[in-house]
């Protein structure tokens, strides 16, 4: 259908256009995508076998949908991607406030215009990108905002009495007729406003200041909600929940690979950062493991959740920390170091809600300890486990490294802003480290070797084989008992 040639109702009829509701439209286009084995929600990762199949079933069932999950679980993104399941263009009566279909007009304006002009009624074409409306539920939202109100200025200008329905100013929902309408954080919507949605969802009529209008609005509703809000700020009233066809539970990434994929896709990086900074795979794994550790931490409120945005902003901060160091040291290129992870702490402290015990520890301390927990978790996947209790005669792969530090009376310092050349020389001076890597990660890329060396030192600290002291300019590693024996 060449829509450029169709500008009147008569031409639309000749072209054989048939009206279909938005739910049928979504259903039919989804069926076509499934037949062609296309991605229905492109760019959303980790939901392929959980959330997306449930969402597809809800669309096939022509349901209104509630996406229930903690923050940072792509609820709003899923709702916005539903636009891609709409027809590219639909016809609308020109000048209509509520996107009247020329073959099924709802408003008084469209009905009278079609009665007056017949097949000459002008039509325009609405692109699917304009068929999405979104409202964040806040306590100040009113019925007038979302449904409508009487407009005294319109009544005065048109010289109409308040008994005339032409004085009505439609709210966001009627204006979203034939569109996807999203209400984010539904529990935050006051109960009386939620009640105002009952008739729209079930009976298809609206009431505005005494006007009861039979407007069978054609809307695909998508609601989002956070379980925490049910107790902290509000709740979804039971009759409204009953009118929502499908409630779908979202979740966080369930493995590191999925989390890395999301972070790499969403992180906003400067092209110069990508060219200048090398990021070892272990560093990417470690960064995502920090988020996993946060979700398991007893010091962080699990009900509040740990957003996927933590990993995204932390990755941006990690690269910026390495970039700043390279600029200060005048290094043309650099590789992320373990010490650069100190730069992600501000990304963690702003993304987590601490319980009482966590508040006592302090947000920065909790964030710093999460990095240590992540190091500990990943270390045992690469190197032999360090047992807490061992016999004096037991030999471990780490004994030579610990002995090396035992003989360092002044400790071993790694400064944050040391140039790459000096940094590598310092780590190369620890001979046993090289032997450990040759034995357990022999295929390691040369560009990643120094990150792994420093990673081993951090891990030995976590397993109490070494001690670590953070000072203003960097980190000092020591044998935990060396200073004690040295003073005897």
């Amino acid at each position: 259908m060449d829509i450029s040639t169709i500008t009147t109702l008569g031409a639309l009829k000749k072209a054989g256009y048939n009206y279909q509701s938005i739910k049928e439209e979504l259903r039919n286009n989804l069926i076509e995508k499934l037949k062609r084995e296309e991605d229905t929600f492109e760019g959303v990762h980790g939901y392929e076998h959980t959330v997306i199949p449930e969402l597809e079933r809800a669309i096939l069932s022509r349901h209104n949908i509630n996406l229930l999950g903690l923050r940072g679980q792509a609820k709003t993104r899923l709702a916005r991607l539903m636009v891609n399941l709409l027809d590219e263009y639909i016809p609308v009566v020109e000048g209509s406030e509520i996107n009247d279909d020329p073959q099924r007009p709802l408003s008084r304006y469209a009905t009278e215009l079609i009665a007056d002009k017949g097949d000459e009624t002008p039509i325009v074409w609405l692109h699917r990108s304009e068929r999405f409306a979104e409202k964040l539920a806040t306590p100040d939202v009113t019925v007038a905002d979302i449904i409508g109100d009487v407009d005294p200025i319109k009544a005065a200008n048109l010289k109409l009495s308040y008994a005339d329905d032409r004085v009505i100013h439609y709210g966001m929902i009627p204006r979203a007729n034939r569109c996807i309408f999203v209400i984010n954080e539904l529990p935050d919507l006051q109960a009386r406003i939620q009640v105002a949605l009952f008739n729209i969802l079930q009976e298809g009529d609206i009431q505005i200041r005494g006007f009861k209008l039979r407007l069978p609005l054609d809307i695909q509703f998508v609601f989002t909600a956070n379980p925490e809000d049910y107790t902290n700020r509000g709740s979804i009233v039971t009759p409204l929940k009953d009118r929502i066809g499908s409630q779908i539970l979202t979740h966080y990434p369930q493995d590191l690979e999925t989390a890395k994929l999301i972070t790499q896709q969403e992180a906003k990086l400067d092209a110069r950062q990508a060219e200048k900074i090398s990021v070892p795979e272990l560093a990417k794994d470690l960064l995502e493991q920090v988020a996993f550790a946060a979700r398991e931490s007893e010091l962080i409120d699990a009900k509040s959740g740990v957003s996927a945005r933590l990993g995204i902003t932390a990755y941006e901060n990690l690269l910026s920390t390495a970039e700043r160091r390279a600029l200060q040291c005048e290094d043309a290129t650099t590789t992320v170091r373990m010490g650069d992870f100190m730069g992600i702490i501000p990304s963690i402290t702003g993304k987590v809600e601490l319980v009482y015990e966590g508040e006592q520890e302090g947000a920065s301390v909790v964030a710093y300890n999460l990095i240590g927990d992540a190091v500990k978790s990943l270390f045992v996947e690469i190197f032999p486990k360090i047992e807490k209790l061992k016999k004096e005669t037991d030999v471990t792969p780490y004994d030579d490294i610990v002995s090396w530090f035992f003989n360092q009376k002044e400790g071993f310092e790694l400064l944050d802003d040391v140039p790459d050349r000096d940094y590598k020389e310092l780590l190369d001076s620890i001979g046993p480290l090289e032997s450990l890597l040759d034995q357990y990660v022999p295929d390691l890329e040369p560009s990643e070797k120094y990150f792994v060396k420093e990673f081993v030192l951090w891990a030995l600290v976590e397993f109490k084989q070494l001690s670590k002291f953070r000072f203003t300019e960097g980190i000092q590693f020591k044998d935990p008992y060396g200073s004690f024996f040295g003073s005897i």
Side-chain angles (χ1 to χ4, degrees), residues 19 52 63 79 99 109-110 122 142 144 174 221 229 270 277 308 327 338 383 388 393 418 442 450:
Y19 167 84
I52 289 177
H63 285 173
N99 301 324
Y109 164 81
T142 65
F221 280 99
D229 298 339
D270 189 295
I277 303 163
L327 290 170
M338 276 299 308
F383 297 98
K388 289 184 179 179
T393 56
V418 66
Y450 293 95

Side-chain angles (χ1 to χ4, degrees), residues 10-28:
L12 187 68
K13 290 177 181 176
K14 287 180 182 177
Y17 171 81
N18 292 314
Y19 167 84
Q20 62 177 346
S21 71
I22 187 171
K23 288 184 169 66
E24 286 293 342
E25 193 181 326
L26 289 165
R27 173 184 162 81
N28 292 338

Side-chain angles (χ1 to χ4, degrees), residues 81-327:
L81 287 173
M82 284 178 65
V83 170
N84 296 329
L85 295 174
L86 296 172
D87 290 344
E88 188 172 8
Y89 288 96
I90 58 168
V92 172
V93 175
E94 186 174 14
S96 167
E97 290 182 276
I98 61 171
N99 301 324
D100 282 286
D101 185 277
Q103 296 177 344
R104 294 186 60 176
L106 296 181
S107 68
R108 178 169 173 173
Y109 164 81
T111 304
E112 291 181 349
L113 184 65
I114 292 171
D116 179 40
K117 295 196 173 185
D119 285 351
E120 295 304 312
T121 302
I123 65 169
V124 293
W125 292 85
L126 190 66
H127 191 259
R128 61 183 166 213
S129 62
E130 300 177 83
R131 297 176 63 195
F132 180 87
E134 187 175 354
K135 180 63 179 172
L136 176 63
T138 54
D140 61 338
V141 174
T142 65
V143 174
D145 292 335
I146 62 170
I147 296 179
D149 204 352
V150 171
D151 187 347
I153 297 174
K154 185 185 284 188
N157 288 342
L158 299 177
K159 296 181 180 178
L160 300 170
S161 80
Y162 284 167
D164 194 311
D165 62 8
R166 286 174 292 178
V167 303
I168 292 174
H169 175 79
Y170 291 113
M172 290 186 70
I173 289 179
R175 289 175 183 273
N177 184 39
R178 302 172 71 198
C179 298
I180 296 170
F181 190 84
V182 179
I183 298 181
N184 282 316
E185 310 302 340
L186 182 60
D188 285 349
L189 205 62
Q190 292 182 49
R192 63 186 180 86
I193 312 299
Q194 293 186 38
V195 169
L197 297 175
F198 288 179
N199 277 23
I200 297 173
L201 286 173
Q202 197 71 35
E203 285 79 22
D205 60 56
I206 61 174
Q207 297 181 27
I208 300 173
R209 296 283 185 181
F211 290 102
K212 184 173 182 179
L213 303 177
R214 186 67 187 169
L215 285 180
L217 295 171
D218 182 19
I219 298 174
Q220 171 67 55
F221 280 99
V222 181
F223 305 99
T224 73
N226 187 326
E228 183 191 21
D229 298 339
Y230 283 90
T231 53
N232 282 12
R233 298 196 294 270
S235 63
I236 303 177
V237 296
T238 305
L240 179 59
K241 284 182 74 174
D242 185 54
R243 285 167 166 81
I244 300 172
S246 291
Q247 178 168 282
I248 298 170
L249 302 180
T250 59
H251 56 81
Y252 288 121
Q254 295 173 329
D255 57 78
L256 285 180
E257 289 305 315
T258 302
K260 283 199 295 184
L261 193 59
I262 293 169
T263 297
Q264 298 302 310
Q265 175 181 284
E266 300 300 319
K268 296 179 177 62
L269 304 179
D270 189 295
R272 290 168 292 183
Q273 288 179 317
E275 293 172 4
K276 191 171 188 173
I277 303 163
S278 172
V279 187
E281 280 302 309
L282 180 58
K284 294 176 183 178
D285 289 343
L286 181 60
L287 185 128
E288 300 302 339
Q289 187 62 40
V290 170
F292 279 77
R295 291 176 191 130
E296 296 171 2
S297 173
E298 295 178 352
L299 301 178
I300 293 172
D301 187 0
K303 293 179 183 177
S304 181
V306 177
S307 169
R309 285 181 281 269
L310 185 149
I312 297 164
T313 55
Y315 186 72
E316 292 166 348
N317 256 358
L318 181 65
L319 265 68
S320 296
T321 305
E323 181 183 34
R324 178 180 177 276
R325 168 173 50 73
L327 290 170

